[in-house]
Amino acid sequence: MTAKIKNIIFDLGGVILGIDEQLTINELMKTGFSDIELLNSPEVINLINNFDSGIYVAKTFRKKLKAALGISKMTDEKFDSIWTAMLLDISGETIEAIEKVKKHYKIFLGSNADEIHYDLYVRDLQLRFGYHEFDDLFDKAYFSFDIHLIKPDPRFFEFILDHEGLNPEETLFIDDTAENIEAAKRLGIKTYHIRRDELVRNLFTNGVLKDEVILG
């Protein structure tokens, strides 16, 4: 089964690097904010989706979200430190594993990511691993704020398939979110729903997919 896979699309947060949204909530609460239910309101979710899809630039997003949460007096620097608290480091072992995988497959990054998070991702990649951009580590990286499409919109996956000329049946998509996995499956893409406590590097042996990896 694994021999048919020629291309792999990796999600970023929850797959390549760890993510813990509770850390951002904890930092926000330290400022005196207490209306946790507001964070899941349609207004806030819509603001985040608009930022992820590149409709809003960082300046607009900061202003609108601070207003929605009643923290308008917070500095942009403090806001950014809270907003990025959820992001954990990329491990050196994961980078080494990806480098090995690239020798056997065409590999791509397909991530819902906003401008603020992206800047931190790239700075970490540059300072710790010497890669200028994610395009240097992967064959190509696709970020939602840049292509103006967010998962699980099927057009997100179609955009990558079309631009890279990929056959869905020869392509594996690895993601930690069930909705994204189901959207990819409906397009005929093979999938692996990874748990957040599961290490992506453990799906491979010397860069080759393990036989026991379940392909949807």
Side-chain angles (χ1 to χ4, degrees), residues 194-212:
I194 192 169
R195 303 185 311 273
R196 283 202 173 179
D197 62 348
E198 191 174 7
L199 298 176
V200 69
R201 61 180 180 269
N202 290 342
L203 304 183
F204 302 88
T205 300
N206 294 321
V208 178
L209 281 165
K210 291 183 176 178
D211 288 339
E212 60 265 30

Side-chain angles (χ1 to χ4, degrees), residues 32-77:
F33 179 85
S34 60
D35 191 358
I36 304 303
E37 291 185 3
L38 184 58
L39 298 176
N40 293 316
S41 68
E43 179 185 7
V44 169
I45 296 300
N46 187 57
L47 288 175
I48 294 172
N49 286 341
N50 283 343
F51 192 33
D52 276 350
S53 60
I55 294 174
Y56 294 150
V57 296
K59 180 179 179 180
T60 303
F61 174 70
R62 292 187 190 102
K63 181 179 179 179
K64 287 182 174 291
L65 187 57
K66 285 194 286 186
L69 299 181
I71 53 173
S72 294
K73 293 183 179 180
M74 182 182 292
T75 66
D76 288 349
E77 291 75 17

